[in-house]
Amino acid sequence: MHNREEKLPGIKLTVIQYVIVGILLILIFGLWRLQVVGAENYHALAEANRIRKVPILAPRGKLFDREGRLVVDNYPSVSCFLVREQGHDYMADLPIIARGLNMTVDQIDAILKKYRTAPKYQPLPLKQDITPDEEEFIEAHRDEFPELETVEEQRRLYPKDGFAAHLIGYVGEVSEDMLNNPQYAYYEPGDVVGKSGVEQSYDSLLRGQDGSQDVIVDSHGREVGKLGTEHAVPGKSLKLTIDIDVQRAAENALGDRNGAIIAMDPHTGEVLAMVSRPTFDPNDFAVRIGREEWNKLITDPEHPLLNKAIQAQLAPGSTFKIIMSFAGLEEGVAQDMKVHCSGGVSLFGTYQKCWVHSGHGEVDIHKAIYQSCDVFFYTLAARLGIEKIAKWAHAVGIGEKTGIDLPNEVSGVMPSAEWKMKYFHQRWYPGEVTSVGIGQGAVTATPVQMARALSGIASGGVMKRPHVVFPDELPEDYRKAMYDSFPGSGDKAIQIDPDSWETITDAMALVLSPAGTDPSAHLEGIDFAGKTGSAQTMSNALAARLGHAHSVKDNAWFVGFTPRRNPDIVVCILFEAGEHGKLAGRLAARVIEAYVNKQRRLENNLIAKAPQKVDVGALWDNPTAPKIFGGKQVVKPQGDQAEMWGGHFYLTVPPVVASAKAP
């Protein structure tokens, strides 16, 4: 018994020794892992605790018109961010912070809820574009509220009164839906992104690349020093194709009327002006639009956010008769066709009225165009049939997107038997074609489509893709990708018989004569051609059934250009509820006149004042001595009077002086 009692302490001692050794090994391994293996990682974490990255937001690129005049600028702004990684209980500070920033606790709670999934290290945008008083509040409470950080940034400054608003677009905070889209994979919550117009189409170029500054902070989050700075890269500025003078003329012409205007150079596809009414103020979006204002915009029955120049799909009315004339002439049907208009015609068992109830008498293709005879085009449509009409309408881009470099363009509709079977599972009835012949029925088009289609016919079949940014402003890879981003019929050429071309354009010039449908739009001394159109917004039968027989007005259309062949500018007007196409024609005339007057003024200035640069540097042996040049005494040019080139001064002089020889 004595021996057993002697052995027990020895076993216990051995176990205790092994336990102690094991604990020491674990401690040694832990220290080795902390001090050797994890040294670099923990060093980085320690650095992060004392270094804070303050974002430097890149200013968006500016927008200029075709002559280099500033359209969209930026202005300096300060925003307040909430930094959550200070180890400070910021939740207890919210009531005081809310009062200092003129907010409510509920508003701040909503922001925290919105960014609840954001990483802890990411500062949250608490309030944008803060006032000087709010900025002073933050600075005065730096020690109390280290979680508040101010960041300087550049915000958009748009033209007043919605000038070119639909073309330019607006910016706003990236939404959750957008963040789930691979297209916005590089964006983070709180980032500003283009949401419509040029701002959206060219966002990746305009937005630039944000930078940051490393700031040293103490354990309480207070700034005690600064380290390196990664400078922001400003966004690329872009030159738009619009001409501010033409744009202003279009804005003034449409005024407060609902509708749209688009002016375009048919030679290049450059959009010179684009207006949509009603409009909105993009400056409301530059900071953060309120929920009440946003709801008002999206519930407005007039759709102020809709760019009607590229998104209004409406019956084009009698402007479509030019496409009908083109189809009829190219098919060899309309050249010798004559009809007698007595105020209507019976086709397919239905009597179709002409808009002139007393009739137009004997009508050929010329008269049918400039007097817009419905009976002629009912008859022409019946002879052509829907498939031939659709063939030539598609040739000039009706029913297809143009490919303009703006988001959300719509395609309109060009009906056909195939189209009706595909979408309605019904066969096409021959009697349906007569309404198509006058641009009614199922035909719908946008102003940009009609502008491009009719300018293509007036240009002998050359059709250009409309665009609002000069392609040479874009990087090569971006330029190639642009056409994939904005699918459409693009640039193309179609064959037009020269006789058809002359017939149509000469008749369109007569539209503005005393015998035409819009003599009030005639411009003295300007070769102005066009076509009026009035399109019903609902059938007479439906209007009567709804009790709106006398209150529903037709939409007024007009497409015009100058000169009549190979035009330099085409203008399409949609005047909603304008009733008569001639009223839209008067609006187009104002835009055409403004454009032509400007071109003439520029040409006169170039002829009368074209400067020439003459090398006068060789005339001076003594640079300060006066010399006689062209019969006038001149001195060595200074400053902006001369340019230095290849070691010589070049003096800018009028032609009469430049033509004289030095003695």
Side-chain angles (χ1 to χ4, degrees):
M1 291 291 293
H2 179 73
N3 289 339
R4 282 182 65 187
E5 289 174 0
E6 290 289 330
K7 289 179 181 178
L8 286 173
I11 294 171
K12 289 180 179 179
L13 183 62
T14 302
V15 172
I16 291 170
Q17 287 174 339
Y18 277 113
V19 170
I20 292 171
V21 171
I23 292 171
L24 288 172
L25 287 173
I26 291 171
L27 289 171
I28 291 169
F29 175 76
L31 289 170
W32 175 79
R33 194 177 69 168
L34 286 170
Q35 296 184 5
V36 179
V37 177
E40 200 170 304
N41 182 45
Y42 287 105
H43 175 74
L45 290 174
E47 285 294 306
N49 282 333
R50 72 183 187 91
I51 298 174
R52 181 196 306 159
K53 277 194 176 295
V54 177
I56 300 175
L57 305 180
R60 285 180 78 83
K62 298 179 181 181
L63 298 177
F64 299 88
D65 89 329
R66 64 189 298 112
E67 295 179 5
R69 292 172 289 185
L70 188 62
V71 178
V72 177
D73 200 358
N74 299 309
Y75 71 92
S77 171
V78 177
S79 293
C80 176
F81 284 77
L82 181 69
V83 181
R84 298 168 294 165
E85 55 178 351
Q86 300 299 335
H88 183 80
D89 182 16
Y90 60 84
M91 295 300 292
D93 300 332
L94 293 188
I96 303 174
I97 291 173
R99 284 197 299 272
L101 295 179
N102 296 304
M103 301 175 70
T104 65
V105 175
D106 289 342
Q107 286 176 314
I108 297 180
D109 284 339
I111 293 170
L112 295 177
K113 185 178 180 181
K114 179 179 180 180
Y115 295 107
R116 62 186 178 276
T117 59
K120 192 81 171 177
Y121 61 82
Q122 180 182 318
L124 305 184
L126 206 56
K127 188 171 185 181
Q128 300 168 319
D129 206 27
I130 61 176
T131 65
D133 288 344
E134 292 163 350
E135 190 175 0
E136 285 179 13
F137 164 79
I138 295 170
E139 292 299 327
H141 295 81
R142 282 286 182 192
D143 292 342
E144 299 170 65
F145 308 133
E147 64 268 27
L148 296 184
E149 184 67 64
T150 56
V151 175
E152 294 182 0
E153 55 186 319
Q154 297 285 315
R155 294 201 174 276
R156 276 312 212 201
L157 182 61
Y158 294 104
K160 294 180 180 180
D161 303 321
F163 183 86
H166 293 86
L167 183 146
I168 296 167
Y170 63 91
V171 295
E173 188 177 333
V174 64
S175 65
E176 290 186 27
D177 290 341
M178 295 171 81
L179 290 172
N180 294 328
N181 187 331
Q183 181 182 348
Y184 299 95
Y186 297 102
Y187 292 79
E188 294 182 356
D191 282 352
V192 170
V193 63
K195 290 203 167 184
S196 74
V198 170
E199 293 279 27
Q200 180 179 340
S201 295
Y202 295 94
D203 181 71
S204 58
L205 289 179
L206 291 167
R207 74 184 304 259
Q209 185 176 339
D210 293 342
S212 63
Q213 184 175 60
D214 292 334
V215 176
I216 304 172
V217 295
D218 61 16
S219 59
H220 298 289
R222 293 184 291 248
E223 183 180 324
V224 295
K226 295 181 179 178
L227 294 176
T229 299
E230 182 182 348
H231 295 286
V233 179
K236 178 177 173 54
S237 293
L238 295 175
K239 184 183 285 189
L240 305 179
T241 60
I242 65 167
D243 183 321
I244 283 181
D245 300 315
V246 180
Q247 179 72 29
R248 186 178 294 112
E251 299 265 356
N252 292 337
L254 195 56
D256 294 329
R257 304 172 183 89
N258 285 353
I261 295 180
I262 183 166
M264 189 176 77
D265 181 344
H267 303 302
T268 60
E270 295 163 9
V271 174
L272 303 174
M274 181 181 287
V275 183
S276 182
R277 288 286 189 275
T279 189
F280 63 96
D281 188 352
N283 291 296
D284 292 341
F285 296 86
V287 182
R288 179 184 288 170
I289 191 166
R291 183 178 296 277
E292 186 178 338
E293 291 176 272
W294 172 249
N295 287 336
K296 184 179 178 182
L297 283 171
I298 62 175
T299 58
D300 190 326
E302 302 295 344
H303 307 294
L305 296 178
L306 186 76
N307 184 353
K308 294 176 181 176
I310 65 171
Q311 293 177 301
Q313 302 180 96
L314 298 168
S318 293
T319 56
F320 190 77
K321 291 174 181 176
I322 300 303
I323 297 170
M324 285 295 302
S325 301
F326 167 57
L329 291 168
E330 291 300 303
E331 289 290 335
V333 174
Q335 283 85 342
D336 300 319
M337 179 177 155
K338 290 182 173 60
V339 300
H340 180 79
C341 175
S342 58
V345 63
S346 291
L347 294 166
F348 305 107
T350 303
Y351 184 74
Q352 308 275 5
K353 291 182 179 180
C354 185
W355 73 276
V356 175
H357 294 170
S358 59
H360 290 98
E362 293 297 318
V363 182
D364 62 4
I365 184 66
H366 269 95
K367 187 175 180 180
I369 290 174
Y370 70 76
Q371 292 195 356
S372 199
C373 178
D374 289 339
V375 167
F376 184 93
F377 288 102
Y378 289 143
T379 308
L380 178 60
R383 293 188 186 181
L384 287 173
I386 191 61
E387 296 309 319
K388 288 180 180 178
I389 296 172
K391 167 190 167 184
W392 293 106
H394 282 303
V396 292
I398 302 300
E400 302 172 2
K401 295 179 181 179
T402 65
I404 190 171
D405 52 338
L406 290 174
N408 305 316
E409 182 190 8
V410 297
S411 59
V413 174
M414 183 56 229
S416 65
E418 181 184 358
W419 167 84
K420 190 176 180 185
M421 183 58 69
K422 180 179 178 180
Y423 290 102
F424 296 96
H425 308 293
Q426 297 175 0
R427 63 183 290 263
W428 180 270
Y429 294 98
E432 296 177 82
V433 77
T434 53
S435 59
V436 172
I438 60 168
Q440 295 276 181
V443 181
T444 63
T446 63
V448 69
Q449 283 177 320
M450 293 307 296
R452 180 170 175 267
L454 268 63
S455 67
I457 293 171
S459 299
V462 178
M463 304 182 66
K464 295 293 184 179
R465 177 193 292 263
H467 54 275
V468 298
V469 171
F470 286 102
D472 58 7
E473 289 277 299
L474 310 173
E476 185 176 353
D477 56 340
Y478 194 97
R479 189 163 59 245
K480 291 178 180 177
M482 183 182 73
Y483 291 98
D484 297 328
S485 302
F486 304 102
S489 51
D491 292 351
K492 64 179 183 179
I494 55 175
Q495 293 296 320
I496 297 182
D497 185 278
D499 290 337
S500 302
W501 182 28
E502 290 184 10
T503 297
I504 292 171
T505 51
D506 286 346
M508 289 180 73
L510 291 174
V511 168
L512 307 171
S513 72
T517 55
D518 195 5
S520 64
H522 172 74
L523 294 172
E524 193 65 37
I526 297 176
D527 185 17
F528 181 27
K531 181 70 187 78
T532 56
S534 299
Q536 289 180 314
T537 54
M538 66 174 68
S539 69
N540 292 331
L542 178 59
R545 203 159 52 241
L546 296 175
H548 302 318
H550 301 291
S551 60
V552 176
K553 295 182 177 180
D554 296 346
N555 288 331
W557 286 80
F558 184 89
V559 183
F561 38 78
T562 186
R564 73 183 72 182
R565 284 191 275 277
N566 290 323
D568 297 323
I569 182 175
V570 58
V571 177
C572 181
I573 309 283
L574 165 63
F575 177 7
E576 291 182 307
E579 197 165 3
H580 299 294
K582 63 183 179 182
L583 300 180
R586 295 170 191 172
L587 307 184
R590 292 170 62 179
V591 180
I592 292 285
E593 187 173 33
Y595 171 83
V596 171
N597 286 343
K598 178 175 181 177
Q599 299 309 307
R600 289 175 175 175
R601 186 169 62 251
L602 291 174
E603 288 171 6
N604 289 336
N605 287 344
L606 288 172
I607 293 169
K609 300 179 182 179
Q612 296 184 19
K613 288 176 180 154
V614 180
D615 182 0
V616 293
L619 296 178
W620 278 274
D621 296 323
N622 179 353
T624 61
K627 299 292 177 182
I628 303 299
F629 184 78
K632 295 184 179 180
Q633 180 171 298
V634 295
V635 296
K636 188 172 182 179
Q638 302 290 328
D640 61 2
Q641 293 177 309
E643 295 179 1
M644 191 70 173
W645 186 262
H648 288 273
F649 281 105
Y650 284 78
L651 179 64
T652 301
V653 295
V656 64
V657 178
S659 64
K661 293 187 177 180

